[in-house]
Short mmCIF file of all heavy atoms in Angstrom, two decimals:
data_model
loop_
_atom_site.label_atom_id
_atom_site.label_comp_id
_atom_site.label_asym_id
_atom_site.label_seq_id
_atom_site.Cartn_x
_atom_site.Cartn_y
_atom_site.Cartn_z
N PRO V 437 -63.59 -107.73 -0.10
CA PRO V 437 -63.02 -108.75 -0.98
C PRO V 437 -62.78 -108.19 -2.38
O PRO V 437 -63.57 -107.38 -2.88
CB PRO V 437 -64.11 -109.83 -1.02
CG PRO V 437 -64.95 -109.59 0.19
CD PRO V 437 -64.89 -108.11 0.44
N GLN V 438 -61.69 -108.61 -2.97
CA GLN V 438 -61.32 -108.14 -4.31
C GLN V 438 -61.51 -109.26 -5.34
O GLN V 438 -61.43 -110.44 -5.00
CB GLN V 438 -59.86 -107.68 -4.32
CG GLN V 438 -59.57 -106.56 -3.35
CD GLN V 438 -60.35 -105.30 -3.65
OE1 GLN V 438 -60.28 -104.76 -4.75
NE2 GLN V 438 -61.13 -104.83 -2.68
N ALA V 439 -61.73 -108.87 -6.57
CA ALA V 439 -61.85 -109.84 -7.66
C ALA V 439 -60.52 -110.56 -7.87
O ALA V 439 -59.45 -110.04 -7.51
CB ALA V 439 -62.25 -109.12 -8.95
N SER V 440 -60.59 -111.74 -8.44
CA SER V 440 -59.37 -112.52 -8.67
C SER V 440 -58.42 -111.83 -9.64
O SER V 440 -57.24 -112.19 -9.72
CB SER V 440 -59.72 -113.91 -9.19
OG SER V 440 -60.40 -113.80 -10.43
N THR V 441 -58.90 -110.81 -10.35
CA THR V 441 -58.05 -110.08 -11.29
C THR V 441 -57.34 -108.90 -10.62
O THR V 441 -56.58 -108.19 -11.28
CB THR V 441 -58.91 -109.54 -12.46
OG1 THR V 441 -59.97 -108.74 -11.92
CG2 THR V 441 -59.48 -110.69 -13.27
N TRP V 442 -57.57 -108.69 -9.31
CA TRP V 442 -56.94 -107.59 -8.59
C TRP V 442 -55.43 -107.71 -8.64
O TRP V 442 -54.87 -108.80 -8.51
CB TRP V 442 -57.41 -107.60 -7.14
CG TRP V 442 -56.86 -106.48 -6.32
CD1 TRP V 442 -57.30 -105.20 -6.28
CD2 TRP V 442 -55.77 -106.54 -5.40
NE1 TRP V 442 -56.55 -104.45 -5.39
CE2 TRP V 442 -55.60 -105.26 -4.84
CE3 TRP V 442 -54.90 -107.56 -4.99
CZ2 TRP V 442 -54.62 -104.96 -3.91
CZ3 TRP V 442 -53.92 -107.27 -4.06
CH2 TRP V 442 -53.79 -105.97 -3.53
N GLU V 443 -54.77 -106.59 -8.86
CA GLU V 443 -53.30 -106.56 -8.92
C GLU V 443 -52.75 -105.86 -7.69
O GLU V 443 -53.21 -104.78 -7.33
CB GLU V 443 -52.84 -105.79 -10.16
CG GLU V 443 -53.10 -106.52 -11.46
CD GLU V 443 -52.20 -107.73 -11.63
OE1 GLU V 443 -51.07 -107.74 -11.12
OE2 GLU V 443 -52.65 -108.69 -12.30
N PRO V 444 -51.76 -106.46 -7.02
CA PRO V 444 -51.16 -105.83 -5.84
C PRO V 444 -50.61 -104.43 -6.09
O PRO V 444 -50.54 -103.63 -5.19
CB PRO V 444 -50.05 -106.80 -5.45
CG PRO V 444 -50.55 -108.12 -5.94
CD PRO V 444 -51.25 -107.80 -7.24
N THR V 445 -50.25 -104.14 -7.32
CA THR V 445 -49.75 -102.80 -7.62
C THR V 445 -50.85 -101.74 -7.50
O THR V 445 -50.55 -100.56 -7.51
CB THR V 445 -49.14 -102.76 -9.04
OG1 THR V 445 -50.12 -103.23 -9.97
CG2 THR V 445 -47.89 -103.63 -9.11
N GLU V 446 -52.11 -102.17 -7.36
CA GLU V 446 -53.23 -101.26 -7.17
C GLU V 446 -53.38 -100.83 -5.70
O GLU V 446 -54.18 -99.96 -5.39
CB GLU V 446 -54.54 -101.91 -7.63
CG GLU V 446 -54.58 -102.23 -9.10
CD GLU V 446 -55.83 -103.03 -9.49
OE1 GLU V 446 -56.81 -103.05 -8.71
OE2 GLU V 446 -55.82 -103.63 -10.56
N ALA V 447 -52.64 -101.46 -4.81
CA ALA V 447 -52.78 -101.20 -3.38
C ALA V 447 -52.24 -99.83 -3.01
O ALA V 447 -51.16 -99.43 -3.47
CB ALA V 447 -52.04 -102.27 -2.57
N HIS V 448 -52.99 -99.09 -2.20
CA HIS V 448 -52.51 -97.83 -1.65
C HIS V 448 -51.62 -98.16 -0.45
O HIS V 448 -51.86 -99.13 0.27
CB HIS V 448 -53.68 -96.95 -1.21
CG HIS V 448 -54.53 -96.53 -2.36
ND1 HIS V 448 -54.15 -95.57 -3.26
CD2 HIS V 448 -55.74 -96.97 -2.78
CE1 HIS V 448 -55.08 -95.42 -4.18
NE2 HIS V 448 -56.06 -96.27 -3.91
N ALA V 449 -50.62 -97.35 -0.22
CA ALA V 449 -49.64 -97.62 0.84
C ALA V 449 -50.29 -97.79 2.21
O ALA V 449 -49.86 -98.61 3.01
CB ALA V 449 -48.59 -96.51 0.89
N ASP V 450 -51.35 -97.02 2.48
CA ASP V 450 -51.97 -97.07 3.81
C ASP V 450 -53.14 -98.05 3.90
O ASP V 450 -53.82 -98.13 4.92
CB ASP V 450 -52.41 -95.68 4.25
CG ASP V 450 -53.42 -95.06 3.31
OD1 ASP V 450 -53.60 -95.56 2.17
OD2 ASP V 450 -54.05 -94.05 3.69
N ALA V 451 -53.38 -98.82 2.85
CA ALA V 451 -54.47 -99.79 2.86
C ALA V 451 -54.12 -100.97 3.76
O ALA V 451 -52.95 -101.32 3.95
CB ALA V 451 -54.74 -100.29 1.45
N GLU V 452 -55.16 -101.59 4.33
CA GLU V 452 -54.98 -102.82 5.09
C GLU V 452 -55.30 -103.98 4.16
O GLU V 452 -56.43 -104.13 3.70
CB GLU V 452 -55.90 -102.86 6.30
CG GLU V 452 -55.71 -104.12 7.13
CD GLU V 452 -56.62 -104.16 8.33
OE1 GLU V 452 -56.23 -103.62 9.37
OE2 GLU V 452 -57.73 -104.73 8.19
N ILE V 453 -54.30 -104.77 3.86
CA ILE V 453 -54.43 -105.89 2.93
C ILE V 453 -54.48 -107.18 3.73
O ILE V 453 -53.61 -107.43 4.58
CB ILE V 453 -53.23 -105.95 1.97
CG1 ILE V 453 -52.94 -104.59 1.32
CG2 ILE V 453 -53.41 -107.07 0.95
CD1 ILE V 453 -54.01 -104.07 0.43
N THR V 454 -55.48 -108.00 3.46
CA THR V 454 -55.55 -109.32 4.09
C THR V 454 -55.46 -110.37 2.99
O THR V 454 -56.28 -110.37 2.06
CB THR V 454 -56.85 -109.50 4.88
OG1 THR V 454 -56.93 -108.46 5.87
CG2 THR V 454 -56.88 -110.86 5.58
N ILE V 455 -54.45 -111.20 3.09
CA ILE V 455 -54.27 -112.31 2.16
C ILE V 455 -55.02 -113.51 2.74
O ILE V 455 -54.74 -113.94 3.85
CB ILE V 455 -52.78 -112.67 1.98
CG1 ILE V 455 -51.94 -111.45 1.60
CG2 ILE V 455 -52.61 -113.81 0.99
CD1 ILE V 455 -52.19 -110.88 0.26
N HIS V 456 -55.97 -114.02 1.98
CA HIS V 456 -56.75 -115.19 2.40
C HIS V 456 -56.24 -116.46 1.76
O HIS V 456 -56.48 -117.55 2.27
CB HIS V 456 -58.23 -115.01 2.05
CG HIS V 456 -58.82 -113.76 2.60
ND1 HIS V 456 -59.19 -113.63 3.92
CD2 HIS V 456 -59.11 -112.57 2.01
CE1 HIS V 456 -59.69 -112.42 4.12
NE2 HIS V 456 -59.65 -111.75 2.98
N GLY V 457 -55.59 -116.33 0.62
CA GLY V 457 -55.10 -117.51 -0.08
C GLY V 457 -54.32 -117.12 -1.31
O GLY V 457 -54.27 -115.96 -1.70
N GLY V 458 -53.72 -118.10 -1.91
CA GLY V 458 -52.91 -117.90 -3.11
C GLY V 458 -51.68 -118.78 -3.03
O GLY V 458 -51.17 -119.07 -1.95
N TRP V 459 -51.23 -119.20 -4.19
CA TRP V 459 -50.07 -120.09 -4.30
C TRP V 459 -49.08 -119.51 -5.29
O TRP V 459 -49.48 -118.96 -6.31
CB TRP V 459 -50.51 -121.47 -4.77
CG TRP V 459 -51.54 -122.06 -3.87
CD1 TRP V 459 -52.91 -121.97 -4.01
CD2 TRP V 459 -51.30 -122.76 -2.67
NE1 TRP V 459 -53.53 -122.60 -2.97
CE2 TRP V 459 -52.56 -123.11 -2.13
CE3 TRP V 459 -50.15 -123.16 -1.99
CZ2 TRP V 459 -52.69 -123.82 -0.94
CZ3 TRP V 459 -50.30 -123.88 -0.83
CH2 TRP V 459 -51.54 -124.19 -0.31
N ILE V 460 -47.81 -119.66 -5.00
CA ILE V 460 -46.78 -119.23 -5.95
C ILE V 460 -46.46 -120.43 -6.83
O ILE V 460 -45.92 -121.43 -6.36
CB ILE V 460 -45.52 -118.72 -5.23
CG1 ILE V 460 -45.89 -117.50 -4.37
CG2 ILE V 460 -44.45 -118.37 -6.25
CD1 ILE V 460 -44.73 -116.90 -3.63
N ALA V 461 -46.83 -120.32 -8.08
CA ALA V 461 -46.61 -121.41 -9.03
C ALA V 461 -45.22 -121.29 -9.65
O ALA V 461 -44.77 -120.19 -9.95
CB ALA V 461 -47.68 -121.38 -10.11
N ASN V 462 -44.58 -122.42 -9.81
CA ASN V 462 -43.27 -122.51 -10.46
C ASN V 462 -42.16 -121.92 -9.60
O ASN V 462 -41.16 -121.45 -10.11
CB ASN V 462 -43.30 -121.84 -11.83
CG ASN V 462 -42.29 -122.44 -12.77
OD1 ASN V 462 -41.82 -123.55 -12.53
ND2 ASN V 462 -41.96 -121.74 -13.82
N ASN V 463 -42.31 -121.96 -8.28
CA ASN V 463 -41.30 -121.42 -7.38
C ASN V 463 -40.18 -122.43 -7.18
O ASN V 463 -40.43 -123.60 -6.93
CB ASN V 463 -41.93 -121.08 -6.03
CG ASN V 463 -40.91 -120.52 -5.07
OD1 ASN V 463 -40.19 -121.26 -4.44
ND2 ASN V 463 -40.84 -119.22 -4.98
N THR V 464 -38.96 -121.97 -7.29
CA THR V 464 -37.81 -122.82 -7.04
C THR V 464 -36.77 -122.10 -6.18
O THR V 464 -35.58 -122.29 -6.33
CB THR V 464 -37.13 -123.27 -8.36
OG1 THR V 464 -36.77 -122.10 -9.10
CG2 THR V 464 -38.05 -124.14 -9.19
N LEU V 465 -37.24 -121.25 -5.28
CA LEU V 465 -36.31 -120.41 -4.51
C LEU V 465 -35.94 -121.01 -3.16
O LEU V 465 -35.52 -120.29 -2.27
CB LEU V 465 -36.91 -119.02 -4.33
CG LEU V 465 -36.98 -118.20 -5.61
CD1 LEU V 465 -37.72 -116.90 -5.34
CD2 LEU V 465 -35.60 -117.92 -6.14
N GLY V 466 -36.13 -122.28 -2.99
CA GLY V 466 -35.69 -122.89 -1.74
C GLY V 466 -36.79 -123.10 -0.72
O GLY V 466 -36.54 -123.63 0.35
N ILE V 467 -38.01 -122.66 -1.00
CA ILE V 467 -39.10 -122.98 -0.11
C ILE V 467 -39.41 -124.45 -0.34
O ILE V 467 -39.45 -124.92 -1.47
CB ILE V 467 -40.33 -122.08 -0.37
CG1 ILE V 467 -39.95 -120.62 -0.08
CG2 ILE V 467 -41.51 -122.51 0.49
CD1 ILE V 467 -41.05 -119.62 -0.37
N GLU V 468 -39.59 -125.18 0.73
CA GLU V 468 -39.60 -126.62 0.67
C GLU V 468 -40.68 -127.22 -0.23
O GLU V 468 -40.51 -128.31 -0.75
CB GLU V 468 -39.73 -127.21 2.08
CG GLU V 468 -38.49 -127.01 2.94
CD GLU V 468 -38.27 -125.57 3.41
OE1 GLU V 468 -39.26 -124.82 3.56
OE2 GLU V 468 -37.11 -125.18 3.57
N THR V 469 -41.79 -126.54 -0.39
CA THR V 469 -42.85 -127.08 -1.23
C THR V 469 -42.74 -126.52 -2.64
O THR V 469 -42.24 -125.41 -2.85
CB THR V 469 -44.24 -126.73 -0.65
OG1 THR V 469 -44.37 -125.32 -0.58
CG2 THR V 469 -44.42 -127.35 0.72
N GLU V 470 -43.23 -127.26 -3.59
CA GLU V 470 -43.17 -126.83 -4.99
C GLU V 470 -44.09 -125.63 -5.24
O GLU V 470 -43.79 -124.78 -6.05
CB GLU V 470 -43.58 -127.98 -5.89
CG GLU V 470 -43.44 -127.68 -7.36
CD GLU V 470 -43.75 -128.88 -8.22
OE1 GLU V 470 -43.37 -129.99 -7.83
OE2 GLU V 470 -44.38 -128.69 -9.27
N ARG V 471 -45.21 -125.60 -4.55
CA ARG V 471 -46.18 -124.50 -4.69
C ARG V 471 -46.43 -123.89 -3.31
O ARG V 471 -47.46 -124.12 -2.72
CB ARG V 471 -47.49 -125.02 -5.28
CG ARG V 471 -47.43 -125.35 -6.73
CD ARG V 471 -48.74 -125.95 -7.23
NE ARG V 471 -49.90 -125.25 -6.75
CZ ARG V 471 -50.66 -124.42 -7.48
NH1 ARG V 471 -50.35 -124.21 -8.73
NH2 ARG V 471 -51.71 -123.83 -6.98
N PRO V 472 -45.49 -123.09 -2.82
CA PRO V 472 -45.68 -122.50 -1.48
C PRO V 472 -46.85 -121.52 -1.49
O PRO V 472 -47.14 -120.89 -2.51
CB PRO V 472 -44.37 -121.79 -1.21
CG PRO V 472 -43.83 -121.48 -2.56
CD PRO V 472 -44.25 -122.61 -3.44
N SER V 473 -47.50 -121.41 -0.35
CA SER V 473 -48.58 -120.43 -0.26
C SER V 473 -47.98 -119.03 -0.28
O SER V 473 -46.83 -118.81 0.12
CB SER V 473 -49.39 -120.65 1.02
OG SER V 473 -48.66 -120.21 2.14
N LEU V 474 -48.79 -118.09 -0.73
CA LEU V 474 -48.36 -116.69 -0.74
C LEU V 474 -48.11 -116.23 0.69
O LEU V 474 -47.15 -115.49 0.95
CB LEU V 474 -49.42 -115.83 -1.41
CG LEU V 474 -49.13 -114.34 -1.53
CD1 LEU V 474 -47.82 -114.09 -2.27
CD2 LEU V 474 -50.29 -113.63 -2.22
N ILE V 475 -48.92 -116.69 1.63
CA ILE V 475 -48.73 -116.35 3.04
C ILE V 475 -47.38 -116.85 3.53
O ILE V 475 -46.64 -116.12 4.20
CB ILE V 475 -49.89 -116.89 3.89
CG1 ILE V 475 -51.19 -116.15 3.52
CG2 ILE V 475 -49.58 -116.79 5.38
CD1 ILE V 475 -52.45 -116.74 4.11
#
């Protein structure tokens, strides 16, 4: 598990990343919900 301050740009190319949660705030790109999940 990573701290909430972890930045995706810190990821190594061969790392296995598991997204457990997260919301995209202020999204208006056509996803039906105002706050779509990162997943």
Side-chain angles (χ1 to χ4, degrees):
Q438 301 298 303
S440 61
T441 56
W442 182 81
E443 290 289 330
T445 55
E446 297 173 18
H448 296 285
D450 60 346
E452 181 180 273
I453 310 295
T454 303
I455 307 292
H456 304 283
W459 303 93
I460 299 181
N462 207 18
N463 180 277
T464 57
L465 291 174
I467 298 177
E468 290 72 29
T469 60
E470 185 176 321
R471 287 176 44 105
S473 74
L474 181 57
I475 292 170

